[in-house]
Amino acid sequence: MELTPLNPPNVPITHHHLLDLNAWTADEIHTVFNTADEMAQILQRRVRKAPALQGFTVCSLFFENSTRTSMSFERAAKALSADVLSFRAKSSSLSKGESLKDTLRTIEAYQADLYIVRHRASGVPYQLTRWTDACIVNAGDGRRAHPTQALLDAFTFRNTFPNFDGFAGKKLTIVGDLMHSRVARSNIRLWSKLGAEVTLCGPRSLCPASLADTPNVSLTHNLAEAVEGAHAVMAVRIQHERMQNSLFPSLAEYQARYQVTPEIMKQAHPDALVMHPGPMNRDVEISGALADCERSVIEQQVANGVPVRMAVLYTLLVGGRQKAAM
Amino acid sequence: MELTPLNPPNVPITHHHLLDLNAWTADEIHTVFNTADEMAQILQRRVRKAPALQGFTVCSLFFENSTRTSMSFERAAKALSADVLSFRAKSSSLSKGESLKDTLRTIEAYQADLYIVRHRASGVPYQLTRWTDACIVNAGDGRRAHPTQALLDAFTFRNTFPNFDGFAGKKLTIVGDLMHSRVARSNIRLWSKLGAEVTLCGPRSLCPASLADTPNVSLTHNLAEAVEGAHAVMAVRIQHERMQNSLFPSLAEYQARYQVTPEIMKQAHPDALVMHPGPMNRDVEISGALADCERSVIEQQVANGVPVRMAVLYTLLVGGRQKAAM
Amino acid sequence: MELTPLNPPNVPITHHHLLDLNAWTADEIHTVFNTADEMAQILQRRVRKAPALQGFTVCSLFFENSTRTSMSFERAAKALSADVLSFRAKSSSLSKGESLKDTLRTIEAYQADLYIVRHRASGVPYQLTRWTDACIVNAGDGRRAHPTQALLDAFTFRNTFPNFDGFAGKKLTIVGDLMHSRVARSNIRLWSKLGAEVTLCGPRSLCPASLADTPNVSLTHNLAEAVEGAHAVMAVRIQHERMQNSLFPSLAEYQARYQVTPEIMKQAHPDALVMHPGPMNRDVEISGALADCERSVIEQQVANGVPVRMAVLYTLLVGGRQKAAM
């Protein structure tokens, strides 16, 4: 494994949960990235599997549908030889009128070692920490946080930006429906913590000023200005169903003013990367041609989902204890 | 493992199926409870898993939705290192007009060692025993039986009633929609077999006299009388959809006359436990405050689902043979 | 393992995919059959599992529902100790407007070693070979091909026809909705490649002449003529929803002219076998009595699904390399 010399050395991590990135230090995050490098190497082997989590049970609790995220976690857990249970809310007792508390109490009875939780209400993963001793990983709660997505986005930038020399001095621009996006919120938090500047951009109705009330984060409604000098431009999904909302510009207006295109990328840093956390609406928030061009690292983002999630599962379940014991 | 001195010693068990509890003797049931104690200990270890069923394949066939039961079985099977296949009827050929017999013949072709079957029609698990050599566990058929739920309910009472000295002389009261409840039927059968008295209670339309036609089982429509001196009071789910039936009292009437409350529990034995097989309608068949109070063992019931099901799987697949060979 | 003396010896197989049977030679197919014989023996053991694919990850991608086929593959993979991921399209991002290409790129990121693909559009499995280095198995694409079904059908004939002495000189008759049937297309291709004659039969609207444009394949709309001297008669599913199409005869007409019955089987070879790839509409395309009679091998077809799919997974993932290295 080659580390860039600017990578801080590994630190012991004793977190029991990954609810959001608030409590995680930059050093801890760099340590997760280093672990993810090792996990990526396991996935390069002929037998892409390691026994690190043998005997552990990981349970995914998806109260919202998300095949891509749940399967990425499931693959990550199995690649480390953990057992996996999958709970899908649709067929659950929730539809029989059982309260969330009673459902979670039932789930706790499965006695898993780690729960991966996605829910449309912010704070559900946090709630669950009060009802179980198991580790909790937030796989997306409401508009609040989606920390593993942000980790894999930043990890992808770290491993693909030419001559990467650290996040300090780098500029990330995020464009799209930021108001409803937990991915945007987690990326804002993560990149600014790592020392980068973050510029937010989108129509007024989807990009409220309150998102930029932290140091190193700014906001503009002008795309050219936002992209100016950026080292990474990340387009975020526009949800068609929101188009019908009168506050929102029409689809044609949005495309004309905010679509990330090869043309607008000329304003960015010459080495700038194009990113998208998926699923993409080609030719809505991002031009299809740009998504497939050389500077696009969208495929790498997707590919990094498994090793980054392997690193998170490993760190919470055994990594911390072992490293603390070293 | 600490056994109460009144626990009978283990006996060899040669049952190949668990369709209901009719053919199981009290001694065999105590042996399953002793095995469940051992399974609970496995679940207390840091690595909550044992290799006992390695190489066996367990297939769950849920023709009715039930996440809580199917996941409990799935966790139990994986905790003993079995492979698990999950069949959900909704996406099956049944919807293409295939007969149940042909579907079950297809399923038999998966060559699992044990099938866990839930179906809305009574007798389907029994039918399956005629078409396969594999073990069958009934996970609920129609209104007839749900034996693992009754086992975990009685197991919970045995392990939590203060100074438990056997089921003889104990009184269990079951309150609610008993007519439609396979859980009630299996508990009636099990507790009376173990030597306890069972009193049934509920509105006439939901609690027919025919349920009490066995020795040690009585019935009353008066809640105070039913609870008098009881060592355990179990509330059973009222299904909202049945409220619309004209034979049924209104929701308000039901709550007034049959809800299990702290007040009514004063009629019970001073150490009486509050039970509910779940999923609960808080403040319908049971008061929410009572469900959360100290004498409630509802959480323990849920938690005992996995070890009791581990004991059942183990007993059917290898326990009997090993013990018979001893 | 007993091989009939006419079985050709095993040949090395270096195919990386099973998209259809076009590129597979008769010798390669006989080798798969021999491997399936060995797999069937594993499934006869007390512990019906082998470690042959330990460390490999198999991912099933079913864009069309098919519990019977997906579970058969899943059981096959687990019987060889592979890890299994299951992707069901209904809950996927496809419903959020993501393109098939982007979805498949996401799936490729799970880094499985082999993907099992079913899709209503012909050619999707082939498409996927261009976007991944993993092995691809076609589990049914449009009306085009369903190669593992054809393999298990022919394997069943080979192992159950009395005194089987090879496919040469044998006659297979396929009756039913052949136009929409990928199973029929794959069986036509496979049996004619193995040296058998294939006769197709059905109403004009469901049995177009173009299906018979290959050597050894003929077509007739007269059932008695079609069955004359046949060594195997395979009925293929009629889809009720097509009955409403005006081009199609009525259900009663179909039954009268094309249902495979004990009566019509008198025209066939005295040892002729009755086959159906399932799921069956009893008393539509096949008489229920015939399906259950002694000469019916429908149950064996179903039972052979697991060992034949084990043979395919094993052959693609490791069999070829090992044999090539011998």
PDB file of all heavy atoms in Angstrom, chain A residues 111-135:
ATOM      1  N   GLN A 111     -30.001  -9.636  18.146  1.00  0.00           N
ATOM      2  CA  GLN A 111     -28.680  -9.700  18.760  1.00  0.00           C
ATOM      3  C   GLN A 111     -27.559  -9.640  17.731  1.00  0.00           C
ATOM      4  O   GLN A 111     -26.590 -10.403  17.808  1.00  0.00           O
ATOM      5  CB  GLN A 111     -28.564 -10.954  19.622  1.00  0.00           C
ATOM      6  CG  GLN A 111     -29.740 -11.030  20.598  1.00  0.00           C
ATOM      7  CD  GLN A 111     -29.474 -11.880  21.809  1.00  0.00           C
ATOM      8  OE1 GLN A 111     -28.396 -11.808  22.371  1.00  0.00           O
ATOM      9  NE2 GLN A 111     -30.469 -12.646  22.230  1.00  0.00           N
ATOM     10  N   ALA A 112     -27.708  -8.752  16.799  1.00  0.00           N
ATOM     11  CA  ALA A 112     -26.622  -8.502  15.860  1.00  0.00           C
ATOM     12  C   ALA A 112     -25.541  -7.682  16.571  1.00  0.00           C
ATOM     13  O   ALA A 112     -25.776  -7.076  17.618  1.00  0.00           O
ATOM     14  CB  ALA A 112     -27.136  -7.754  14.638  1.00  0.00           C
ATOM     15  N   ASP A 113     -24.347  -7.656  15.978  1.00  0.00           N
ATOM     16  CA  ASP A 113     -23.260  -6.885  16.550  1.00  0.00           C
ATOM     17  C   ASP A 113     -23.243  -5.467  16.011  1.00  0.00           C
ATOM     18  O   ASP A 113     -22.658  -4.573  16.621  1.00  0.00           O
ATOM     19  CB  ASP A 113     -21.929  -7.575  16.228  1.00  0.00           C
ATOM     20  CG  ASP A 113     -21.896  -8.978  16.803  1.00  0.00           C
ATOM     21  OD1 ASP A 113     -21.784  -9.096  18.034  1.00  0.00           O
ATOM     22  OD2 ASP A 113     -22.030  -9.948  16.031  1.00  0.00           O
ATOM     23  N   LEU A 114     -23.866  -5.264  14.856  1.00  0.00           N
ATOM     24  CA  LEU A 114     -23.862  -3.947  14.227  1.00  0.00           C
ATOM     25  C   LEU A 114     -25.118  -3.806  13.373  1.00  0.00           C
ATOM     26  O   LEU A 114     -25.489  -4.740  12.661  1.00  0.00           O
ATOM     27  CB  LEU A 114     -22.586  -3.804  13.368  1.00  0.00           C
ATOM     28  CG  LEU A 114     -22.345  -2.464  12.678  1.00  0.00           C
ATOM     29  CD1 LEU A 114     -20.837  -2.189  12.586  1.00  0.00           C
ATOM     30  CD2 LEU A 114     -22.945  -2.416  11.282  1.00  0.00           C
ATOM     31  N   TYR A 115     -25.774  -2.673  13.488  1.00  0.00           N
ATOM     32  CA  TYR A 115     -26.956  -2.385  12.678  1.00  0.00           C
ATOM     33  C   TYR A 115     -26.650  -1.243  11.717  1.00  0.00           C
ATOM     34  O   TYR A 115     -26.086  -0.219  12.126  1.00  0.00           O
ATOM     35  CB  TYR A 115     -28.147  -1.999  13.567  1.00  0.00           C
ATOM     36  CG  TYR A 115     -28.643  -3.154  14.413  1.00  0.00           C
ATOM     37  CD1 TYR A 115     -28.148  -3.357  15.697  1.00  0.00           C
ATOM     38  CD2 TYR A 115     -29.571  -4.055  13.909  1.00  0.00           C
ATOM     39  CE1 TYR A 115     -28.569  -4.436  16.465  1.00  0.00           C
ATOM     40  CE2 TYR A 115     -30.003  -5.132  14.662  1.00  0.00           C
ATOM     41  CZ  TYR A 115     -29.497  -5.325  15.940  1.00  0.00           C
ATOM     42  OH  TYR A 115     -29.927  -6.390  16.681  1.00  0.00           O
ATOM     43  N   ILE A 116     -27.063  -1.426  10.470  1.00  0.00           N
ATOM     44  CA  ILE A 116     -26.928  -0.389   9.443  1.00  0.00           C
ATOM     45  C   ILE A 116     -28.334   0.146   9.206  1.00  0.00           C
ATOM     46  O   ILE A 116     -29.211  -0.603   8.799  1.00  0.00           O
ATOM     47  CB  ILE A 116     -26.373  -0.993   8.140  1.00  0.00           C
ATOM     48  CG1 ILE A 116     -25.001  -1.597   8.392  1.00  0.00           C
ATOM     49  CG2 ILE A 116     -26.337   0.045   7.036  1.00  0.00           C
ATOM     50  CD1 ILE A 116     -24.604  -2.662   7.390  1.00  0.00           C
ATOM     51  N   VAL A 117     -28.562   1.434   9.461  1.00  0.00           N
ATOM     52  CA  VAL A 117     -29.920   1.966   9.506  1.00  0.00           C
ATOM     53  C   VAL A 117     -30.135   3.065   8.481  1.00  0.00           C
ATOM     54  O   VAL A 117     -29.339   4.012   8.405  1.00  0.00           O
ATOM     55  CB  VAL A 117     -30.227   2.562  10.900  1.00  0.00           C
ATOM     56  CG1 VAL A 117     -31.706   2.920  11.004  1.00  0.00           C
ATOM     57  CG2 VAL A 117     -29.836   1.595  11.997  1.00  0.00           C
ATOM     58  N   ARG A 118     -31.191   2.937   7.696  1.00  0.00           N
ATOM     59  CA  ARG A 118     -31.650   4.038   6.850  1.00  0.00           C
ATOM     60  C   ARG A 118     -33.113   4.306   7.158  1.00  0.00           C
ATOM     61  O   ARG A 118     -33.926   3.383   7.229  1.00  0.00           O
ATOM     62  CB  ARG A 118     -31.487   3.689   5.374  1.00  0.00           C
ATOM     63  CG  ARG A 118     -32.198   4.710   4.459  1.00  0.00           C
ATOM     64  CD  ARG A 118     -31.844   4.601   3.021  1.00  0.00           C
ATOM     65  NE  ARG A 118     -30.475   5.042   2.803  1.00  0.00           N
ATOM     66  CZ  ARG A 118     -29.986   5.383   1.620  1.00  0.00           C
ATOM     67  NH1 ARG A 118     -30.746   5.328   0.548  1.00  0.00           N
ATOM     68  NH2 ARG A 118     -28.734   5.761   1.494  1.00  0.00           N
ATOM     69  N   HIS A 119     -33.451   5.584   7.327  1.00  0.00           N
ATOM     70  CA  HIS A 119     -34.831   5.953   7.676  1.00  0.00           C
ATOM     71  C   HIS A 119     -35.103   7.356   7.152  1.00  0.00           C
ATOM     72  O   HIS A 119     -34.221   8.197   7.129  1.00  0.00           O
ATOM     73  CB  HIS A 119     -35.008   5.912   9.199  1.00  0.00           C
ATOM     74  CG  HIS A 119     -36.446   5.812   9.630  1.00  0.00           C
ATOM     75  ND1 HIS A 119     -37.305   6.878   9.572  1.00  0.00           N
ATOM     76  CD2 HIS A 119     -37.163   4.767  10.111  1.00  0.00           C
ATOM     77  CE1 HIS A 119     -38.506   6.499  10.003  1.00  0.00           C
ATOM     78  NE2 HIS A 119     -38.445   5.211  10.343  1.00  0.00           N
ATOM     79  N   ARG A 120     -36.352   7.598   6.747  1.00  0.00           N
ATOM     80  CA  ARG A 120     -36.649   8.925   6.208  1.00  0.00           C
ATOM     81  C   ARG A 120     -36.704   9.992   7.288  1.00  0.00           C
ATOM     82  O   ARG A 120     -36.679  11.193   6.993  1.00  0.00           O
ATOM     83  CB  ARG A 120     -37.954   8.893   5.393  1.00  0.00           C
ATOM     84  CG  ARG A 120     -39.205   8.735   6.224  1.00  0.00           C
ATOM     85  CD  ARG A 120     -40.487   8.669   5.416  1.00  0.00           C
ATOM     86  NE  ARG A 120     -41.401   7.706   5.988  1.00  0.00           N
ATOM     87  CZ  ARG A 120     -41.961   7.791   7.209  1.00  0.00           C
ATOM     88  NH1 ARG A 120     -41.730   8.830   7.981  1.00  0.00           N
ATOM     89  NH2 ARG A 120     -42.754   6.858   7.653  1.00  0.00           N
ATOM     90  N   ALA A 121     -36.755   9.594   8.558  1.00  0.00           N
ATOM     91  CA  ALA A 121     -36.779  10.585   9.638  1.00  0.00           C
ATOM     92  C   ALA A 121     -35.379  10.776  10.206  1.00  0.00           C
ATOM     93  O   ALA A 121     -34.697   9.810  10.557  1.00  0.00           O
ATOM     94  CB  ALA A 121     -37.740  10.151  10.736  1.00  0.00           C
ATOM     95  N   SER A 122     -34.956  12.041  10.304  1.00  0.00           N
ATOM     96  CA  SER A 122     -33.664  12.350  10.891  1.00  0.00           C
ATOM     97  C   SER A 122     -33.641  11.859  12.339  1.00  0.00           C
ATOM     98  O   SER A 122     -34.623  11.990  13.055  1.00  0.00           O
ATOM     99  CB  SER A 122     -33.439  13.858  10.878  1.00  0.00           C
ATOM    100  OG  SER A 122     -33.445  14.335   9.551  1.00  0.00           O
ATOM    101  N   GLY A 123     -32.526  11.315  12.748  1.00  0.00           N
ATOM    102  CA  GLY A 123     -32.367  10.983  14.159  1.00  0.00           C
ATOM    103  C   GLY A 123     -32.703   9.546  14.538  1.00  0.00           C
ATOM    104  O   GLY A 123     -32.399   9.125  15.665  1.00  0.00           O
ATOM    105  N   VAL A 124     -33.297   8.774  13.624  1.00  0.00           N
ATOM    106  CA  VAL A 124     -33.634   7.387  13.985  1.00  0.00           C
ATOM    107  C   VAL A 124     -32.383   6.572  14.346  1.00  0.00           C
ATOM    108  O   VAL A 124     -32.400   5.843  15.347  1.00  0.00           O
ATOM    109  CB  VAL A 124     -34.471   6.715  12.875  1.00  0.00           C
ATOM    110  CG1 VAL A 124     -34.542   5.205  13.063  1.00  0.00           C
ATOM    111  CG2 VAL A 124     -35.879   7.318  12.856  1.00  0.00           C
ATOM    112  N   PRO A 125     -31.278   6.680  13.575  1.00  0.00           N
ATOM    113  CA  PRO A 125     -30.084   5.908  13.987  1.00  0.00           C
ATOM    114  C   PRO A 125     -29.620   6.290  15.402  1.00  0.00           C
ATOM    115  O   PRO A 125     -29.231   5.420  16.185  1.00  0.00           O
ATOM    116  CB  PRO A 125     -29.037   6.297  12.936  1.00  0.00           C
ATOM    117  CG  PRO A 125     -29.837   6.737  11.750  1.00  0.00           C
ATOM    118  CD  PRO A 125     -31.070   7.385  12.300  1.00  0.00           C
ATOM    119  N   TYR A 126     -29.699   7.570  15.736  1.00  0.00           N
ATOM    120  CA  TYR A 126     -29.313   8.006  17.078  1.00  0.00           C
ATOM    121  C   TYR A 126     -30.223   7.382  18.133  1.00  0.00           C
ATOM    122  O   TYR A 126     -29.760   6.891  19.172  1.00  0.00           O
ATOM    123  CB  TYR A 126     -29.351   9.541  17.174  1.00  0.00           C
ATOM    124  CG  TYR A 126     -29.173  10.020  18.587  1.00  0.00           C
ATOM    125  CD1 TYR A 126     -27.912  10.002  19.196  1.00  0.00           C
ATOM    126  CD2 TYR A 126     -30.263  10.455  19.334  1.00  0.00           C
ATOM    127  CE1 TYR A 126     -27.749  10.412  20.511  1.00  0.00           C
ATOM    128  CE2 TYR A 126     -30.113  10.863  20.647  1.00  0.00           C
ATOM    129  CZ  TYR A 126     -28.853  10.835  21.232  1.00  0.00           C
ATOM    130  OH  TYR A 126     -28.700  11.224  22.544  1.00  0.00           O
ATOM    131  N   GLN A 127     -31.543   7.410  17.859  1.00  0.00           N
ATOM    132  CA  GLN A 127     -32.513   6.779  18.759  1.00  0.00           C
ATOM    133  C   GLN A 127     -32.116   5.342  19.065  1.00  0.00           C
ATOM    134  O   GLN A 127     -32.162   4.883  20.205  1.00  0.00           O
ATOM    135  CB  GLN A 127     -33.901   6.736  18.091  1.00  0.00           C
ATOM    136  CG  GLN A 127     -34.676   8.004  18.160  1.00  0.00           C
ATOM    137  CD  GLN A 127     -35.400   8.127  19.493  1.00  0.00           C
ATOM    138  OE1 GLN A 127     -34.855   7.820  20.548  1.00  0.00           O
ATOM    139  NE2 GLN A 127     -36.630   8.601  19.423  1.00  0.00           N
ATOM    140  N   LEU A 128     -31.742   4.635  18.003  1.00  0.00           N
ATOM    141  CA  LEU A 128     -31.459   3.212  18.164  1.00  0.00           C
ATOM    142  C   LEU A 128     -30.268   2.990  19.105  1.00  0.00           C
ATOM    143  O   LEU A 128     -30.220   1.985  19.820  1.00  0.00           O
ATOM    144  CB  LEU A 128     -31.195   2.588  16.783  1.00  0.00           C
ATOM    145  CG  LEU A 128     -31.165   1.063  16.705  1.00  0.00           C
ATOM    146  CD1 LEU A 128     -32.341   0.416  17.411  1.00  0.00           C
ATOM    147  CD2 LEU A 128     -31.122   0.600  15.265  1.00  0.00           C
ATOM    148  N   THR A 129     -29.320   3.935  19.137  1.00  0.00           N
ATOM    149  CA  THR A 129     -28.170   3.764  20.047  1.00  0.00           C
ATOM    150  C   THR A 129     -28.616   3.716  21.506  1.00  0.00           C
ATOM    151  O   THR A 129     -27.893   3.219  22.362  1.00  0.00           O
ATOM    152  CB  THR A 129     -27.137   4.912  19.914  1.00  0.00           C
ATOM    153  OG1 THR A 129     -27.748   6.151  20.328  1.00  0.00           O
ATOM    154  CG2 THR A 129     -26.634   5.042  18.496  1.00  0.00           C
ATOM    155  N   ARG A 130     -29.786   4.256  21.787  1.00  0.00           N
ATOM    156  CA  ARG A 130     -30.252   4.254  23.175  1.00  0.00           C
ATOM    157  C   ARG A 130     -30.906   2.929  23.540  1.00  0.00           C
ATOM    158  O   ARG A 130     -31.156   2.663  24.717  1.00  0.00           O
ATOM    159  CB  ARG A 130     -31.241   5.413  23.376  1.00  0.00           C
ATOM    160  CG  ARG A 130     -30.570   6.760  23.129  1.00  0.00           C
ATOM    161  CD  ARG A 130     -31.591   7.883  23.067  1.00  0.00           C
ATOM    162  NE  ARG A 130     -32.467   7.853  24.219  1.00  0.00           N
ATOM    163  CZ  ARG A 130     -33.668   8.440  24.275  1.00  0.00           C
ATOM    164  NH1 ARG A 130     -34.127   9.090  23.224  1.00  0.00           N
ATOM    165  NH2 ARG A 130     -34.396   8.384  25.351  1.00  0.00           N
ATOM    166  N   TRP A 131     -31.225   2.118  22.539  1.00  0.00           N
ATOM    167  CA  TRP A 131     -31.959   0.871  22.802  1.00  0.00           C
ATOM    168  C   TRP A 131     -31.121  -0.376  22.555  1.00  0.00           C
ATOM    169  O   TRP A 131     -31.626  -1.487  22.636  1.00  0.00           O
ATOM    170  CB  TRP A 131     -33.233   0.824  21.931  1.00  0.00           C
ATOM    171  CG  TRP A 131     -34.234   1.887  22.300  1.00  0.00           C
ATOM    172  CD1 TRP A 131     -34.483   2.372  23.556  1.00  0.00           C
ATOM    173  CD2 TRP A 131     -35.123   2.580  21.427  1.00  0.00           C
ATOM    174  NE1 TRP A 131     -35.461   3.340  23.510  1.00  0.00           N
ATOM    175  CE2 TRP A 131     -35.891   3.487  22.215  1.00  0.00           C
ATOM    176  CE3 TRP A 131     -35.374   2.537  20.052  1.00  0.00           C
ATOM    177  CZ2 TRP A 131     -36.858   4.332  21.681  1.00  0.00           C
ATOM    178  CZ3 TRP A 131     -36.344   3.372  19.520  1.00  0.00           C
ATOM    179  CH2 TRP A 131     -37.082   4.265  20.331  1.00  0.00           C
ATOM    180  N   THR A 132     -29.871  -0.210  22.224  1.00  0.00           N
ATOM    181  CA  THR A 132     -29.038  -1.378  21.949  1.00  0.00           C
ATOM    182  C   THR A 132     -27.592  -1.081  22.332  1.00  0.00           C
ATOM    183  O   THR A 132     -27.165   0.071  22.336  1.00  0.00           O
ATOM    184  CB  THR A 132     -29.094  -1.764  20.451  1.00  0.00           C
ATOM    185  OG1 THR A 132     -28.223  -2.873  20.232  1.00  0.00           O
ATOM    186  CG2 THR A 132     -28.654  -0.634  19.547  1.00  0.00           C
ATOM    187  N   ASP A 133     -26.858  -2.142  22.645  1.00  0.00           N
ATOM    188  CA  ASP A 133     -25.421  -1.998  22.883  1.00  0.00           C
ATOM    189  C   ASP A 133     -24.633  -2.203  21.605  1.00  0.00           C
ATOM    190  O   ASP A 133     -23.415  -2.032  21.591  1.00  0.00           O
ATOM    191  CB  ASP A 133     -24.969  -3.041  23.911  1.00  0.00           C
ATOM    192  CG  ASP A 133     -25.579  -2.768  25.272  1.00  0.00           C
ATOM    193  OD1 ASP A 133     -25.825  -1.593  25.595  1.00  0.00           O
ATOM    194  OD2 ASP A 133     -25.803  -3.752  26.010  1.00  0.00           O
ATOM    195  N   ALA A 134     -25.309  -2.605  20.525  1.00  0.00           N
ATOM    196  CA  ALA A 134     -24.607  -2.884  19.278  1.00  0.00           C
ATOM    197  C   ALA A 134     -24.123  -1.590  18.628  1.00  0.00           C
ATOM    198  O   ALA A 134     -24.580  -0.492  18.962  1.00  0.00           O
ATOM    199  CB  ALA A 134     -25.535  -3.631  18.321  1.00  0.00           C
ATOM    200  N   CYS A 135     -23.195  -1.726  17.687  1.00  0.00           N
ATOM    201  CA  CYS A 135     -22.745  -0.581  16.892  1.00  0.00           C
ATOM    202  C   CYS A 135     -23.850  -0.170  15.922  1.00  0.00           C
ATOM    203  O   CYS A 135     -24.593  -1.018  15.423  1.00  0.00           O
ATOM    204  CB  CYS A 135     -21.527  -0.961  16.058  1.00  0.00           C
ATOM    205  SG  CYS A 135     -20.119  -1.546  17.010  1.00  0.00           S
TER     206      CYS A 135
END
